[in-house]
Amino acid sequence: MSKTVLIVDDDRAVRDALAQTLELEGLRPVLAGSFIEAKDHISAEFDGAVLSDMRMPGRDGFHLLAHARGVDPELPVILLTGEGDIPMAVKAMGEGAFDFLEKPCAPEALLAVLRRALTTRALVLENRALKAEALAGDAAARMIFGTSQKAEDLRSRVRKLARLDVEALVTGPRGAGIAKVAEVVHLSSRRRGGPFVRRQSSALDVAGFEAALHDAAEGTLFLDEIDTLPASLQYSMAERLDAGLATRLIAGCSGDLQEVVEAGRFNAELFYRLEGMSLRIPALSERPEDIPVIFQHYVRQAAEQAGLVSPEISPDTLSALMAQDWPGNTRSLMSAAMRFVLGMADTVGNAGDLGLAEQMARVERSLLIAALGRQNGKASAAAEALKLPRKTFYDKLARYDIKPDDYRR
């Protein structure tokens, strides 16, 4: 988190008092007595927040806010207001101010708002840096985490799909990050310089679809939960695909789209256009060895977001994580990471309280499932991969009530 705060106030005594308050908390104030002085510090690369008085001679806080938003709409500007300025401050909030504080304000209130603004700014700049790195390099390697063979296979399929530049279908269990993988496909493609536009299928009509195509021109349009696309739009979309698009279309689905087609609720022609190039994201239960790597990434991210020091993760905690099925997949793991950073008891701690035998049993079950997933549900191949005699392998499947056919793809 950055510690820089640009203080803009025409009253020198006020500027100095604010600067002293910030310095005592380890923040780094930069002082300006007017808009003219302040504007030289305001740029899209400025890594801090702006704290400005509302009323100043010449160009006031409104002018500074408009200038800052013109340079970078995501630069946080906090306004200091007098008692009579509250309606003006509320209006400024509507125009994009991060927050406003009434003078005189308690140091605790001021520092709380500043820390929130600085954390927000740090995340904005981090996300921009990640996007820039993705554009400059291998987005799949940077944004899809995991060391397992399944994770590497997923990255490889993303790269191949990105090169083809055709309509595609991304599937996976709920919480697996379908939209994120679709964006990685976009960032790995020749269209990466164009926009990535995401729309919820259930909310679209023909006009909305055409508007989304326009917004995503020369880029990628991602339609989430394509199985909820209104029937009235499905035929029109199939026709538009036949005519050709300037925009790449990627659809996402967490259910079985073929079952929806067979039930007569989804256009078969549209399905076959999308399903011809498909990519499936494996569940965490199929690759438990990736859980520690992904969890550690989310912990670092959550600590940065909360403005906290990243806590140490013990081997017992990682073992407990691997011992769980995670039906909510990476989304649930992300939530667990946030709770872990905040010191809140949750399922991670509960799993850690299990006896060693039960923890080992959960890990073993996860590894059996992962092996079956890697071998497309072929039990003999999975047993060989795990270096287990077939009888031992089948005994373990029976003990955990695991059916190989459930993992055939």
Side-chain angles (χ1 to χ4, degrees):
M1 181 181 75
S2 169
K3 297 184 177 182
T4 305
V5 179
L6 174 60
I7 299 174
V8 189
D9 198 305
D10 61 308
D11 188 323
R12 181 171 182 176
V14 172
R15 289 200 308 271
D16 291 344
L18 289 170
Q20 186 176 24
T21 299
L22 270 57
E23 287 171 344
L24 288 172
E25 291 298 317
L27 302 179
R28 187 175 75 86
V30 176
L31 306 184
S34 66
F35 166 78
I36 298 299
E37 288 184 52
K39 72 181 183 62
D40 292 336
H41 297 282
I42 295 174
S43 69
E45 293 75 37
F46 182 66
D47 65 352
V50 179
L51 178 66
S52 174
D53 191 19
M54 177 70 81
R55 291 186 181 273
M56 291 183 291
R59 296 178 174 178
D60 60 9
F62 271 113
H63 193 92
L64 184 143
L65 173 63
H67 175 78
R69 287 187 60 75
V71 172
D72 184 348
E74 295 179 293
L75 179 62
V77 176
I78 302 156
L79 297 172
L80 291 170
T81 68
E83 184 179 349
D85 297 333
I86 300 299
M88 295 172 60
V90 172
K91 180 174 180 287
M93 290 286 288
E95 295 181 7
F98 185 83
D99 208 336
F100 72 89
L101 293 166
E102 187 176 359
K103 297 188 295 186
C105 60
E108 297 78 14
L110 171 64
L111 293 167
V113 172
L114 285 174
R115 288 195 188 97
R116 185 160 53 87
L118 291 170
T119 299
T120 300
R121 184 61 175 167
L123 287 172
V124 165
L125 294 180
E126 180 185 5
N127 288 336
R128 288 180 187 173
L130 288 173
K131 288 286 181 67
E133 287 178 0
L135 288 171
D138 186 349
R142 296 178 189 279
M143 300 174 70
I144 297 177
F145 301 97
T147 57
S148 70
Q149 187 59 50
K150 276 199 174 292
E152 184 51 48
D153 290 346
L154 177 60
R155 288 188 285 266
S156 177
R157 289 196 299 273
V158 162
R159 296 180 188 112
K160 290 177 182 176
L161 187 59
R163 289 195 293 270
L164 294 173
D165 197 39
V166 295
E167 299 85 32
L169 177 66
V170 179
T171 65
R174 290 193 180 279
I178 292 173
K180 176 186 175 182
V181 169
E183 186 172 11
V184 176
V185 172
H186 165 74
L187 292 171
S188 303
S189 75
R190 66 175 182 81
R191 296 178 178 270
R192 57 185 173 271
F196 177 80
V197 175
R198 177 179 177 179
R199 293 290 185 269
Q200 185 64 34
S201 297
S202 61
L204 285 179
D205 55 15
V206 174
F209 176 60
E210 292 295 336
L213 286 176
H214 179 269
D215 292 343
E218 305 303 326
T220 301
L221 173 60
F222 172 65
L223 298 183
D224 207 0
E225 297 298 349
I226 194 69
D227 53 320
T228 66
L229 192 73
S232 59
L233 179 54
Q234 293 174 21
Y235 181 75
S236 299
M237 188 179 294
E239 281 193 325
R240 290 288 276 113
L241 289 175
D242 286 338
L245 300 176
T247 300
R248 184 180 194 178
L249 180 68
I250 300 180
C253 185
S254 58
D256 189 329
L257 193 55
Q258 186 160 5
E259 283 187 4
V260 182
V261 173
E262 292 169 356
R265 300 194 305 275
F266 197 85
N267 183 284
E269 182 183 352
L270 180 57
F271 168 70
Y272 291 120
R273 284 295 300 263
L274 298 172
E275 194 265 345
M277 290 296 168
S278 61
L279 182 155
R280 178 184 172 275
I281 305 170
L284 282 182
S285 59
E286 298 173 47
R287 49 185 184 123
E289 59 269 49
D290 286 338
I291 290 174
V293 175
I294 299 172
F295 185 74
Q296 287 165 345
H297 166 73
Y298 285 149
V299 165
R300 288 193 297 270
Q301 189 178 67
E304 178 68 28
Q305 194 170 11
L308 299 171
V309 176
S310 185
E312 184 177 346
I313 308 171
S314 70
D316 287 345
T317 297
L318 294 177
S319 296
L321 292 167
M322 291 181 67
Q324 297 180 61
D325 287 336
W326 297 104
N329 290 285
T330 53
R331 189 176 301 160
S332 293
L333 195 61
M334 185 187 300
S335 298
M338 177 58 82
R339 293 193 295 272
F340 178 77
V341 167
L342 296 176
M344 298 167 61
D346 63 1
T347 51
V348 174
N350 293 339
D353 292 336
L354 298 174
L356 178 61
E358 190 167 352
Q359 286 193 52
M360 292 299 294
R362 289 192 179 189
V363 172
E364 185 177 55
R365 182 177 186 276
S366 295
L367 292 173
L368 292 169
I369 290 172
L372 284 169
R374 282 194 295 270
Q375 303 299 331
N376 196 25
K378 297 176 182 177
S380 57
E384 184 176 346
L386 292 174
K387 297 181 172 55
L388 287 174
R390 287 193 185 183
K391 182 179 184 309
T392 302
F393 183 76
Y394 280 105
D395 286 346
K396 291 180 182 295
L397 295 185
R399 182 191 311 162
Y400 297 118
D401 193 26
I402 299 172
K403 298 176 174 58
D405 286 346
D406 291 343
Y407 302 93
R408 294 189 186 277
R409 305 295 175 194

